[in-house]
Amino acid sequence: MTEPYDCTECKESLFGLKYILKENNPYCVKCYDDLFSNNCEVCQKLIGCTSKDLSYKGRHWHSECFLCITCSQSLVERPFATKDDLLMCVECYSSEYSSKCHSCLKTIMPGSRKMEHKGNSWHKNCFTCNRCQQPIGTRSFIQKDANNYCMPCYEIQFAPQCVTCKKPITTVGVNYRDQPWHRECFVCIGCKQQLAGQRFTSRDDFAYCLDCFCNLFAKKCAHCTAPISGIGGTKYISFEQRQWHTDCFNCKACSASLVGRGFLTCKDDILCPECVTDS
């Protein structure tokens, strides 16, 4: 004698009937569908246990309802994409939403590798150097006149040559008197420190920092013997082949400034009229 085998939900006998086990509990087909089956996203009808249930991100479809929203082709066992929760085959999605290759103008299919730069996209094999036609990939490149160039080709075709080292300048350089330098090559001819970003001057076509220029070529103050650069509008006093900083042009006796005043000389000294009278 067999033991009774009943539906867990309705308690009807399952003897000789089709049933489904869920967590080791038996259910008749009707009760299982009522309790556990999902409704189709498209037709809203129940997806019974005898039908194939296709699910994606918590939503469910009959296999015959799992179609591209645009061309109505079946998406069963085919790649697909979604837009605003609507299913689309890859071809329709690409045609409407995928970016176009800036070179060949063909669609860049979802999932394929693409290169992007300044809002434009390329197939990997279309992103090539305009000169050598080799794929650029992830290598460094420079864009000029809407064309892309790998670094070696750009240097050969466009980069200016540094006056000092004769090598191409591919980053920010320095222009002086219509000649280009690397920043690190534009240095004082005397002390070799870089001149980019600081004041400098030149003599006989050579560039000098202010310190070197003053030490080599500037006149010396008759009082303090320090160089008088005269660069940048610096004022100084000149008298009988001698020069003074304005701050150094003072009476030898009383140290009063003689700038804009009359003065007398006594050998190598300069004196104000009052100190001459007192003496």
Side-chain angles (χ1 to χ4, degrees), residues 106-247:
K106 294 180 180 179
T107 299
I108 301 174
M109 301 298 286
S112 62
R113 187 174 180 185
K114 67 178 179 179
M115 313 301 292
E116 295 181 310
H117 179 64
K118 292 185 176 180
N120 292 320
S121 302
W122 290 261
H123 293 108
K124 177 184 176 183
N125 292 331
C126 292
F127 190 59
T128 59
C129 170
N130 190 62
R131 184 175 184 274
C132 68
Q133 300 302 312
Q134 294 299 307
I136 293 174
T138 57
R139 294 182 296 157
S140 298
F141 70 96
I142 293 178
Q143 192 173 71
K144 182 176 176 63
D145 299 330
N147 294 316
N148 300 316
Y149 296 88
C150 65
M151 294 301 294
C153 286
Y154 180 86
E155 292 174 1
I156 293 171
Q157 191 158 340
F158 300 110
Q161 303 292 311
C162 176
V163 171
T164 299
C165 70
K166 310 303 180 187
K167 294 180 180 179
I169 301 173
T170 57
T171 56
V172 178
V174 175
N175 266 322
Y176 179 63
R177 293 185 175 178
D178 296 324
Q179 292 184 310
W181 280 266
H182 293 108
R183 288 177 65 90
E184 60 271 21
C185 293
F186 189 59
V187 298
C188 171
I189 193 68
C191 66
K192 306 303 181 186
Q193 72 168 323
Q194 291 187 28
L195 298 177
Q198 64 171 299
R199 295 175 63 195
F200 66 93
T201 188
S202 64
R203 185 183 179 98
D204 300 328
D205 293 328
F206 294 110
Y208 294 86
C209 68
L210 297 190
D211 288 342
C212 286
F213 183 84
C214 290
N215 289 332
L216 292 170
F217 305 113
K219 300 178 185 300
K220 302 299 189 291
C221 177
H223 174 71
C224 70
T225 70
I228 302 173
S229 70
I231 298 172
T234 302
K235 295 181 179 181
Y236 64 95
I237 308 299
S238 180
F239 176 73
E240 292 184 349
Q241 307 303 315
R242 291 188 294 167
Q243 288 79 32
W244 293 261
H245 296 106
T246 53
D247 292 341

Side-chain angles (χ1 to χ4, degrees), residues 11-30:
K11 309 305 180 183
E12 293 291 330
S13 174
L14 298 176
F15 184 75
L17 300 178
K18 184 176 182 179
Y19 65 91
I20 300 96
L21 280 176
K22 184 174 178 63
E23 297 176 354
N24 292 323
N25 294 316
Y27 293 88
C28 66
V29 171
K30 183 180 183 303

Side-chain angles (χ1 to χ4, degrees), residues 47-65:
I47 305 173
C49 61
T50 57
S51 301
K52 189 172 183 179
D53 184 339
L54 301 177
S55 64
Y56 176 71
K57 290 188 175 180
R59 296 185 296 158
H60 301 265
W61 292 262
H62 292 106
S63 58
E64 61 269 22
C65 295

